[in-house]
Amino acid sequence: MTIERIIESRHDIVTCPASATVREAAGLLAERRIGAMPVMDGDSIAGIFSERDVLYRLREFGAELLDKPVREVMTAPAVTVDPTTSAMTALAMMTKRRIRHLPVVEGGRMVGFVSIGDIVKYRIDKVEGEAAALRDYIQMA
C-alpha cells in the first residue's frame, strides 16, 4: 500500500503563497475546514502552515501575528514523501516527527498532500475489506 493509492483520486490541493498574511491563510483554513496546507514559493514547497503554527505563534506575537507573512510563521522545511513511499513508512515518519501532514513530491513537483487521518482511514478500510473476504471464505468452506 503506497501513498500513490491514497492520493490517486484527489486533484484539488489547497495551498497558499509564502507572501500571504497569516490572516489570509488562517481564513483559507477556516473557509475550507482544513487543518493545514502547503505554502508555496512559486512552484516550490516553502513549508507547511497549520492551525498549530497559529496557536504557537499567537502567544509570541499576539494580534500582530495576523499581519505577518506566512513565511515567518510556517513550519519549514516541509518533510515530504514521494508517491512510492509505503503508507506505513509515511505513518511512522509522521509519528516520529510529530507531524500530521505530508506533501507528496515527484520529480520536484507537488502531486499530493496527505494527512495522518487519510492514511489511517485507508488502512482501516483495507483491513475491513480483508476481514470481510476472510469471513466470506470461511462461510463458503
Side-chain angles (χ1 to χ4, degrees), residues 15 18 20-21 23-25 35 39 49-50 56 61 72 75-76 85 88 94 107 120 125 130 134 136 138:
T15 65
T21 65
R23 181 185 317 273
E24 293 166 334
V39 177
F49 179 73
S50 72
Y56 295 158
F61 297 112
E72 291 182 20
T75 301
T85 303
M88 296 310 290
M94 295 166 111
V120 169
D125 291 348
E130 291 169 356
L134 283 172
D136 290 347
I138 291 168

Side-chain angles (χ1 to χ4, degrees), residues 22-138:
V22 170
R23 181 185 317 273
E24 293 166 334
L28 189 54
L29 291 179
E31 176 186 315
R32 298 299 292 267
R33 300 187 55 80
I34 55 177
M37 64 186 155
V39 177
M40 305 302 290
D41 188 8
D43 291 335
S44 300
I45 299 170
I48 304 290
F49 179 73
S50 72
E51 298 162 325
R52 288 180 176 185
D53 293 318
V54 174
L55 288 175
Y56 295 158
R57 298 303 187 116
L58 193 56
R59 182 174 183 199
E60 183 179 350
F61 297 112
E64 294 174 18
L65 171 69
L66 296 174
D67 296 318
K68 290 195 173 291
V70 170
R71 77 169 44 87
E72 291 182 20
V73 301
M74 68 185 179
T75 301
V79 177
T80 65
V81 293
D82 64 65
T84 62
T85 303
S86 77
M88 296 310 290
T89 298
L91 195 56
M93 283 175 68
M94 295 166 111
T95 302
K96 181 179 179 186
R97 293 179 178 242
R98 300 190 58 147
I99 57 176
R100 296 175 181 262
H101 299 86
L102 290 170
V104 183
V105 177
E106 183 174 42
R109 191 175 136 265
M110 185 172 60
V111 296
F113 192 62
V114 293
S115 73
I116 199 164
D118 296 330
I119 297 171
V120 169
K121 180 188 179 313
Y122 188 81
R123 183 71 182 134
I124 288 170
D125 291 348
K126 186 167 177 59
V127 167
E128 286 176 350
E130 291 169 356
L134 283 172
R135 277 192 298 275
D136 290 347
Y137 177 76
I138 291 168

